[in-house]
């Protein structure tokens, strides 16, 4: 078991079901849907492309295939992989240093060795905290970007309900079979790409190397 195992080496994974679970729950888009449904007839499109009481939506594909969602997921995956590699480098360096300290212990008195061991332990804890903060930063940013996506999706779903005269949108997991003509996933993605550009991605920064072993 490495010095840092179990503390910050369990990196962010991006199973699509977890990232997107409940992303477009009906309650999250009620404000947008309500506003669209209350629009006056004069505000409705002149010619609706689809008329159906129920529409269907693939929430997972909506996020994965939108320009915004692709950018968000790619960045999170890249950052997680970089953090995993950095954690491995740091842990390897610390394990090497620990072995060197163990060898030195046999040549030192307990009073001489104690402050050296304490300094090492303190440094390990500081590194654990710093690396955990980096992991939290990735997940926090992903959550904020998810909220931005939801905010942009709600009004679009409301518009499509109004245009189609629909009273309900069902996620694909809520039904067994449906007509492809009532699926609005592609239409939602198209409008999202027009209104929600991918977030700016800052240039990659060099990651610090592991601390050198104590001679």
């Amino acid at each position: 078991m490495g010095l840092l195992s179990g503390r910050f080496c369990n990196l962010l994974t991006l199973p699509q079901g977890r990232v997107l679970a409940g992303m477009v729950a009906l309650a999250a888009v009620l404000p947008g849907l309500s506003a669209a449904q209350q629009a006056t007839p004069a505000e409705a499109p002149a010619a609706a492309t689809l008329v159906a009481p129920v529409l269907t939506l693939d929430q997972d594909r909506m996020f994965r295939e939108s320009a915004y969602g692709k950018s968000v997921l790619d960045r999170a995956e890249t950052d997680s992989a970089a953090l995993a590699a950095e954690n491995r480098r740091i842990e390897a360096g610390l394990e090497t240093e620990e072995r060197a300290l163990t060898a030195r212990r046999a040549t030192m008195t307990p009073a001489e060795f104690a402050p050296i061991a304490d300094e090492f332990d303190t440094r390990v804890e500081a590194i654990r905290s710093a690396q955990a903060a980096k992991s939290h930063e990735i997940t926090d940013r992903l959550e904020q970007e998810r909220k931005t996506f939801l905010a942009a999706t709600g009004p679009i779903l409301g518009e499509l309900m109004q245009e189609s005269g629909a009273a309900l949108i069902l996620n694909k997991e809520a039904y067994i079979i449906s007509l492809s003509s009532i699926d609005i996933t592609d239409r939602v993605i198209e409008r999202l790409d027009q209104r929600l550009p991918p977030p700016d991605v800052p240039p990659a920064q060099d990651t610090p190397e592991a601390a050198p072993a104590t001679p």
Side-chain angles (χ1 to χ4, degrees), residues 3-164:
L3 290 173
L4 308 180
S5 297
R7 293 298 295 272
F8 65 80
C9 294
N10 293 327
L11 298 168
L12 172 67
T13 57
L14 297 170
Q16 295 160 357
R18 290 184 60 188
V19 172
L20 299 174
M23 288 193 65
V24 195
L26 185 58
V29 299
L30 278 178
L33 302 186
S34 176
Q37 289 174 327
Q38 293 173 6
T40 63
E43 295 172 332
T49 57
L50 171 68
V51 177
V54 176
L55 303 174
T56 60
L57 175 70
D58 186 332
Q59 298 181 52
D60 182 68
R61 186 166 72 85
M62 176 184 66
F63 189 73
R64 286 186 294 103
E65 296 186 8
S66 68
Y68 184 91
K70 287 177 183 177
S71 177
V72 166
L73 292 176
D74 287 347
R75 180 182 176 186
E77 185 173 353
T78 298
D79 289 350
S80 295
L83 182 58
E86 182 181 27
N87 287 344
R88 288 192 294 270
R89 290 197 305 271
I90 292 173
E91 185 164 6
L94 291 174
E95 288 176 345
T96 298
E97 185 173 354
E98 184 184 38
R99 287 193 293 270
L101 288 175
T102 300
R104 291 181 62 193
R105 183 175 187 177
T107 66
M108 304 174 70
T109 66
E112 292 172 331
F113 183 77
I116 297 175
D118 289 343
E119 185 279 331
F120 178 74
D121 289 342
T122 299
R123 185 151 42 87
V124 169
E125 288 299 323
I127 291 173
R128 284 174 174 164
S129 297
Q131 297 305 102
K134 294 178 183 180
S135 180
H136 291 321
E137 182 180 355
I138 294 174
T139 56
D140 290 346
R141 185 181 64 245
L142 186 62
E143 176 63 19
Q144 185 57 50
E145 290 168 336
R146 185 184 72 88
K147 292 178 180 178
T148 299
F149 182 81
L150 279 174
T153 302
I156 292 174
L157 296 180
E159 291 171 8
L160 292 174
M161 288 184 71
Q162 173 69 15
E163 294 170 12
S164 306

Side-chain angles (χ1 to χ4, degrees), residues 151-204:
T153 302
I156 292 174
L157 296 180
E159 291 171 8
L160 292 174
M161 288 184 71
Q162 173 69 15
E163 294 170 12
S164 306
L168 182 67
I169 298 178
L170 291 177
N171 181 33
K172 73 168 189 175
E173 297 179 356
Y175 59 86
I176 298 175
I177 189 171
S178 71
L179 296 173
S180 60
S181 61
I182 66 172
D183 186 275
I184 59 172
T185 306
D186 289 334
R187 297 167 67 189
V188 174
I189 292 173
E190 180 181 1
R191 297 192 188 190
L192 280 167
D193 288 349
Q194 293 171 353
R195 305 180 194 181
L196 184 64
D200 293 333
V201 178

